[in-house]
Each structure stands twice: as C-alpha cells, then as structure tokens.
Amino acid sequence: MLLINKRAVFEWCLQPAIGWGFLYLAISTAGLYTYINWASPVFLLGILCLLQVSLPGNSGGTSFRFAYITFAISALSIFLPLRTILYLTGSSAILFTLEANYGKVRHAVFCTLVIMSPIFEYAATVFSFPIRLQLTSWAGNMMAFTGQTVISTGNMITIHGNEFTVDPECMGLNMMETSLLLGVMISCIYQQKFKVRVRFLILVLMLIVISVLNILSNLFRIIAIVQFDIKPGTAIHDIIGITCLLLYVIIPGAALIKVIIKNSDKLLLIYKPIPVKKLKTTTSTGLYLLVTGAILFTVLNTFIHETRKHAFKVPPPYLSGYRVERVDADILKLTDALSLVYIKDIGGFYSTEHNPMICWKGSGYTFKKVEKSIIQGASVYIAVLIKGDEKLYTAWWYDNSKIRTISQFCWRWDAFKGGSNYALINVTCSNYGDLYTNISEIFNTGRLNKLLKN
C-alpha cells in the first residue's frame, strides 16, 4: 500500500519555487483559456504523460536555460502575438522553475508539451491531409489486388458497386497524438528500468518511427472498416481502431524502443545524479520576477493584438459582381447569386490558416467526399459538405496572384523565400456545375487578385 507523508507534501507545497510555478501556470491558463480544449482526451493523456515522464531520473544539475528561452520566446511575441507563442512562453517558464530547483528535466517533458499542444493537433490535421487521401488510394489498390472490384477517388472507395466514404475520423490519423504520447511514456519506462537517458535526437527518431507505424495502422484500419462495411459510431468501429493501434503501433513500437535502449550504448547517456545547487534567495527572486514579467508581457501583447484584430473597422473593398463583407481583419466574405467565397489572408509562412477542413466542421458540416481536382490547369481540393438535408460543394486552394497551389509545403516555402503573402481562397456552391464554372471564371479573369495582399 502506498503511504503518503502528509507533512512532507505540505512542506513541499510551501516551497517558494512551487508557488512561482503555480503562478506561472495560473497566468498561462488565464491567457490560454479559450485556446486549449481542457477536457480533450489527448490533453488529459498529455497531463498523465507529464506526471509519468517527470519522475526521478533527470540528467542532474540545476539549469537556468529555460529562463533565457522564456525571455526569447516572449520577445518573439512582439512580432508574432499568437496564442501558440503564449503557450510556449508559459511552458518554458514552468520548466525553468523545475530545472532551477530539482535538476534538468528529461527531453521527454518538452516533447510531451509540444505533442499535447493545440498547434500540434492543427499540424497533424492539416499537414497530414494529403497522406490521408493517399492512404485511401492505397487501401483501394490493396483490396483490388485481391481480385475485388474496387475504385478509390479522394476519400471515396467504391467496392462491388457500393460507395463507401472514409470519413476524416476514420482516415484522419486522429490517433497520432495518442500514439506519440504513449511512445514517450514507454521510452521513459524503459529508461527508468535500465537507468539510462536517451539522447534527444534518438527520442525524436523513436517518435518518427511511431508516426510511420501510426500511418500503417490507419491503412489497415481503413481496409478492415471498408471490407467489412463497419459504420462509424458503432462499438466494433472503435474496437477495430483500438486493436489496430495496439497491434501495429504500441506493441511493435514498444519492442523497438526496448531494443534501442537496452542494446545501443552509444546512443545513450548513463544517468549520473548531480547534486542540486539552488539559487541564492535574492538572485532567485529577481529571476522569478523577470520570468513573471515575460509571461505577463506575452499575455498582454497577445490580448491587445486580438482585440485590435476583432475591432478592425476598415470598410471592405469593392469588387464588381460581388457583395463584399469584412468578417475580420484577415477574412473577406464575397457572395453573389450562385456562390459564397472566402478570402482568408495568411500572415506568413509560420502562420496557421482558417482551413476549410476545420472551419466547416466547426459550423456543423461533415466532409463526405474529398478529392484533388484540376481546373484550368490548377490543382484544387474539392469536397462535398453535408449538414442534415443540406448539401454543398466547396473548393479551396492557396493563392498570391502569382502562384496557385494546394501544397502546404509549397506556399510556406515560397513565402519563406520572400514570395508575396498568400491567402486561402474557399469557394462554395450548391452544385458541382456552378462550382466548376465559378472557379474557371476566377482563374481566367483573375478578378480576385486585386483583393489579395501583395
């Protein structure tokens, strides 16, 4: 039975370092209240992972490196007043408190904070989108290889004449964060067992392997769901997902991690405890106050930026044939008799964008068919949106009036090299014919170019 020394716990909670840590947590939580889904299973698993990877076994010795990282990230918020920057500032401040008093934390702690963050969820959703479509194609080809009549288009698989839509939840690598967090926990369990510490690059390599296994898991999951016509929302649907995660990710991933940690001495650092030297009271108080100021500055800067953005009063521009409305500083809404067009400016190569896969889902729509299409020589994504009895056709691409692309890497790399600012253009119509005609006219006339920021 686990016995808890209540007096020791009470004295630990009264330590000044713990008070500063809770202060940083409170300030960050207040600033990130609407940014983080606190009840998300992935976030809760991340908390559990943090508790596990923060167990004794640090590399030893106090360090103030995260204080300097906190100052650097806070300064970055002057140019990038984003919630992501605030999240990183608060995380760094808390890590500074831990390292300044209890020794360096494992690399796994930082990896966990990144994986459980909303920005990682966004990246997993948006950047993996082409992979998801490719997985559907591979699944269709593998089933066709067995002699079945199978046709795959976008996220639609037709088998024996019956259409089967692989929903984003089925094909969406939505177990990526879960598998990575479990991978971090498994690696720390074995590090603790063999009393070693994995180098950072090796830990990253392990997580890459887990990611690849997750992709393969989703491939086999799609095949099983389509082959046996298993409907979403059923118990067997969830059982297959969990089974694939265990069979193709967790079990082989754990075995590989164990082999690396147990046998690859050159890749490891033997854990040698180093006595913890605490800061002098005057020095520590001054440093804690500076870190507090950095977090408060980041919160205030982010809040001011968002307030100005939503209070943006510049009237919308005029464009013949459309009724133009300004949704906020970065989004224009254009409507005519047949179409709805959103032009969503993107701040830079580092920015997130209002991706239709996220925005339409937030409005209650589901994507029942998503595919890559070529219109007037340009690639666009086209999808069917369903909401009750309502059915819409939507298309989107990235544009800077010179380059049109659907590749996240293409537009970000061009913007990084100094190319013109990009915008995400999303066109929606009630039928496919109107959508095709509308996009063709936009491409042929270039009539939206004057609304793009160059």
Side-chain angles (χ1 to χ4, degrees), residues 388-399:
D389 296 331
E390 186 179 7
K391 185 176 183 180
L392 299 174
Y393 292 79
T394 192
W396 68 95
W397 67 93
Y398 302 96
D399 203 328

Side-chain angles (χ1 to χ4, degrees), residues 124-136:
T125 300
V126 175
F127 283 89
S128 67
F129 182 61
I131 300 176
R132 293 181 253 162
L133 295 183
Q134 186 62 57
L135 282 178
T136 307

Side-chain angles (χ1 to χ4, degrees), residues 272-377:
K272 296 180 179 180
I274 301 176
V276 174
K277 296 180 180 180
K278 295 192 176 183
L279 289 169
K280 295 180 180 180
T281 302
T282 53
T283 304
S284 63
T285 301
L287 198 52
Y288 284 133
L289 287 173
L290 287 174
V291 171
T292 303
I295 299 179
L296 289 173
F297 172 79
T298 308
V299 172
L300 182 62
N301 195 38
T302 304
F303 176 77
I304 291 174
H305 171 76
E306 292 186 350
T307 301
R308 289 176 176 175
K309 179 178 177 179
H310 291 298
F312 201 77
K313 298 299 182 182
V314 174
Y318 171 79
L319 184 64
S320 178
Y322 286 107
R323 177 189 176 189
V324 183
E325 303 173 63
R326 187 177 294 281
V327 178
D328 63 25
D330 300 324
I331 302 178
L332 291 175
K333 177 182 177 182
L334 290 68
T335 54
D336 62 13
L338 299 176
S339 65
L340 167 65
V341 180
Y342 283 103
I343 300 178
K344 307 175 182 182
D345 291 316
I346 307 172
F349 71 92
Y350 50 80
S351 299
T352 59
E353 84 276 8
H354 299 271
N355 193 281
M357 292 288 291
I358 299 174
C359 296
W360 283 106
K361 183 179 178 180
S363 299
Y365 289 88
T366 58
F367 286 74
K368 288 301 180 183
K369 185 177 182 181
V370 185
E371 61 182 323
K372 175 183 174 181
S373 183
I374 305 296
I375 299 179
Q376 300 297 319

Side-chain angles (χ1 to χ4, degrees), residues 13-66:
C13 291
L14 291 180
Q15 294 182 50
I18 301 302
W20 287 108
F22 277 115
L23 175 62
Y24 299 156
L25 180 62
I27 297 173
S28 302
T29 300
L32 298 168
Y33 182 74
T34 59
Y35 177 71
I36 295 175
N37 183 0
W38 304 95
S40 166
V42 170
F43 185 80
L44 296 177
L45 178 62
I47 297 296
L48 180 63
C49 184
L50 282 176
L51 295 175
Q52 193 269 330
V53 302
S54 299
L55 290 173
N58 298 338
S59 58
T62 55
S63 173
F64 313 131
R65 56 180 177 172
F66 277 104

Side-chain angles (χ1 to χ4, degrees), residues 185-308:
M185 295 175 72
I186 292 170
S187 72
C188 286
I189 290 173
Y190 284 124
Q191 289 178 66
Q192 191 74 20
K193 179 179 179 179
F194 298 112
K195 299 186 183 306
V196 295
R197 176 172 170 259
V198 176
R199 297 179 187 272
F200 179 71
L201 292 180
I202 301 304
L203 177 59
V204 172
L205 178 61
M206 290 178 180
L207 295 181
I208 291 175
V209 171
I210 292 291
S211 300
V212 173
L213 292 175
N214 186 272
I215 293 174
L216 294 176
S217 172
N218 273 272
L219 175 61
F220 295 129
R221 185 186 184 198
I222 292 173
I223 292 174
I225 289 174
V226 174
Q227 185 67 53
F228 298 105
D229 193 18
I230 299 172
K231 306 299 182 185
T234 60
I236 188 64
H237 186 276
D238 296 332
I239 290 173
I240 287 180
I242 295 173
T243 301
C244 288
L245 178 67
L246 290 174
L247 289 179
Y248 303 114
V249 182
I250 302 304
I251 293 177
L256 180 61
I257 290 172
K258 181 179 180 180
V259 169
I260 293 176
I261 292 179
K262 186 177 181 180
N263 301 308
S264 303
D265 295 338
K266 293 182 179 180
L267 304 179
L268 307 173
L269 296 174
I270 303 301
Y271 167 59
K272 296 180 179 180
I274 301 176
V276 174
K277 296 180 180 180
K278 295 192 176 183
L279 289 169
K280 295 180 180 180
T281 302
T282 53
T283 304
S284 63
T285 301
L287 198 52
Y288 284 133
L289 287 173
L290 287 174
V291 171
T292 303
I295 299 179
L296 289 173
F297 172 79
T298 308
V299 172
L300 182 62
N301 195 38
T302 304
F303 176 77
I304 291 174
H305 171 76
E306 292 186 350
T307 301
R308 289 176 176 175

